[in-house]
Amino acid sequence: MRVLHVSHTGHGGGAELALARLLTTDPPWTAMLCCPPGGDAFGGLAGRGVTVEQRLPRLPVGGTRSRSPMLAARYLASLRAAASTLRRSPLFGAADLVHANTAAAAIICAFASRGRQVPLVVHLRDLVTPESMGRFGYAAFTRLALPRVDGVIANSRTTLASAADRLPTRVRRAVLQSPSGLRHRVTAPQVRSEVRAVGMLGRLQRWKGQHVFLRAFADAFRGTGVRAYLAGAPLFEEAAYEQELRALAVELAIADQVTFLGHIDDVPAFIDSMDVLVHASVRPEPLGQTVLQAMARAKPLIATEGGGPSEWIRSGSNGLLVQPDRPEDLATALRKLAGSPEMRLALAAGAAGTPGILSDAECTTAHAAFFQEFSSAAGSTEKGRR
């Protein structure tokens, strides 16, 4: 089966890294990829047997959230131009199935697929709401892309539910975990007697809540020997947020306790070096890959309620849940864990025993089974015609 994966960017955001992980686990399909030039998310795929074509035009930054009609029109024109480029690609013509990796990619693929019978599968990686996608992005995705899709893969039940009333009844649906860089799980937790390192992993982006984390950390640990580690880098228009975070650390008098690591490649090693992991998104997270990564490494974890994390965490059993955008609640949870090695060990053991967390190879197997449903359906249709 020849599957064409389409990405609207080559930069390493969560969606792009998830796709790259999917395609580096020797998938049982012939993988092809179309994306714009630039970025480092897909740099190693050609060496893994994936045919990569980087010719799609780049989309304007901020187009989905802009209130400017001019920028929105420019963004829509760029989507149409990308669709035209995609339609002319020989990879597009050779595909048995097209997989759009993001909402923007889905709009591109929907435009390009007009008049073609090749199935289109869209990955829902963000909540399908105006708040999550921006008003223009939400309108464009729900009106232009979703009516034309044949299948959707959602990264959580919450994500799928957010799109349910917009999906035609004929659309095949699956909730599949996204690859998170997991090769094997830790089954025997190692918990130090005291908390020395508290970490947060993820793209530096305001809604991810790194500012909430810093305020909570300052409340709980200012002037102590505990250090905070922020792993992740800003992308696109978010560079100013990193400077804001650095200034906030100075304002809170914790600058000498905070380390900004930037992008890291070895996620398991970072998690293993932490005593407590924090997820601090200020609005519901579609999946929360860092939650799965921390649980797979059997680490004590604090996360905000809502969305994907609440589907995985049983508060007090395999992690702690706190209200979003409440640094005082997060600080209380941090102090509680710091003061109780017994609680940290119990949560780590609960995380290690959490069922259902898949390795990257298992994620690929699940995706392959869903993709194959469309090949089987096409085969049945063809037999019926005969």
Side-chain angles (χ1 to χ4, degrees):
M1 188 177 191
R2 295 162 297 185
V3 179
L4 175 61
H5 305 272
V6 180
S7 176
H8 77 279
T9 178
H11 292 281
E16 292 71 40
L17 294 177
L19 177 59
R21 293 182 188 118
L22 185 73
L23 299 184
T24 54
T25 54
D26 299 322
W29 62 82
T30 300
M32 306 176 289
L33 171 69
C34 282
C35 66
D40 56 0
F42 306 121
L45 291 184
R48 302 299 296 260
V50 179
T51 303
V52 179
E53 183 179 270
Q54 296 178 298
R55 294 165 60 182
L56 297 184
R58 296 185 180 93
L59 302 179
V61 173
T64 60
R65 295 185 174 275
S66 174
R67 295 180 179 276
S68 164
M70 184 176 297
L71 181 56
R74 183 173 157 227
Y75 189 81
L76 184 59
S78 296
L79 290 170
R80 291 184 180 279
S84 178
T85 300
L86 178 64
R87 191 176 179 86
R88 294 194 303 269
S89 168
L91 301 184
F92 187 74
D96 299 310
L97 182 145
V98 177
H99 168 233
N101 192 49
T102 61
I107 300 170
I108 294 169
C109 293
F111 281 147
S113 297
R114 286 176 174 170
R116 292 200 68 209
Q117 299 303 312
V118 176
L120 172 59
V121 171
V122 171
H123 224 116
L124 303 179
R125 300 191 184 274
D126 208 350
L127 298 183
V128 184
T129 64
E131 181 185 19
S132 295
M133 307 180 80
R135 291 196 175 278
F136 173 75
Y138 172 78
F141 180 60
T142 56
R143 295 175 185 176
L144 301 177
L146 286 187
R148 295 177 183 166
V149 305
D150 301 288
V152 296
I153 298 172
N155 56 10
S156 70
R157 296 190 302 273
T158 302
T159 303
L160 182 58
S162 72
D165 63 347
R166 290 286 191 162
L167 291 174
T169 56
R170 61 176 174 75
V171 172
R172 295 173 183 261
R173 306 147 201 237
V175 176
L176 302 179
Q177 181 187 318
S178 297
S180 57
L182 176 62
R183 291 180 174 81
H184 65 276
R185 296 184 61 173
V186 172
T187 56
Q190 301 293 320
V191 175
R192 293 193 294 207
S193 60
E194 61 180 356
V195 170
R196 303 173 190 169
V198 181
M200 187 169 172
L201 172 66
R203 175 174 162 183
L204 298 186
Q205 190 176 21
R206 183 174 298 281
W207 79 271
K208 293 289 188 181
Q210 282 88 356
H211 59 289
V212 177
F213 169 60
L214 290 182
R215 291 188 181 279
F217 179 87
D219 188 349
F221 301 122
R222 183 191 292 113
T224 70
V226 183
R227 295 194 61 83
Y229 295 87
L230 290 174
L235 292 178
F236 313 124
E237 75 276 17
E238 297 147 359
Y241 183 54
E242 179 178 358
Q243 299 308 312
E244 181 182 326
L245 292 173
R246 291 179 181 274
L248 180 61
V250 173
E251 176 189 328
L252 296 170
I254 56 171
D256 60 343
Q257 293 175 251
V258 179
T259 300
F260 289 83
L261 295 172
H263 174 76
I264 60 170
D265 291 316
D266 195 342
V267 171
F270 169 75
I271 293 175
D272 290 348
S273 69
M274 297 294 108
D275 297 304
V276 176
L277 266 292
V278 171
H279 165 279
S281 294
V282 299
R283 57 177 168 83
E285 180 85 51
L287 172 64
Q289 284 205 40
T290 58
V291 169
L292 298 183
Q293 290 165 333
M295 296 175 78
R297 304 304 296 179
K299 282 293 174 179
L301 169 71
I302 305 171
T304 53
E305 289 184 344
S310 289
E311 296 179 19
W312 289 97
I313 296 175
R314 303 180 307 279
S315 193
S317 176
N318 58 354
L320 294 179
L321 290 172
V322 297
Q323 290 293 313
D325 208 9
R326 294 284 296 273
E328 62 274 20
D329 291 356
L330 179 53
T332 298
L334 286 169
R335 282 192 290 265
K336 185 182 295 186
L337 285 187
S340 176
E342 296 80 13
M343 178 179 285
R344 295 199 304 278
L345 181 58
L347 294 181
T354 301
I357 299 177
L358 305 180
S359 69
D360 285 3
E362 290 169 327
C363 289
T364 300
T365 298
H367 282 71
F370 187 69
F371 290 158
Q372 194 60 44
E373 288 184 22
F374 294 91
S375 177
S376 301
S380 299
T381 301
E382 186 62 28
K383 287 180 181 178
R385 288 171 180 166
R386 292 175 187 173

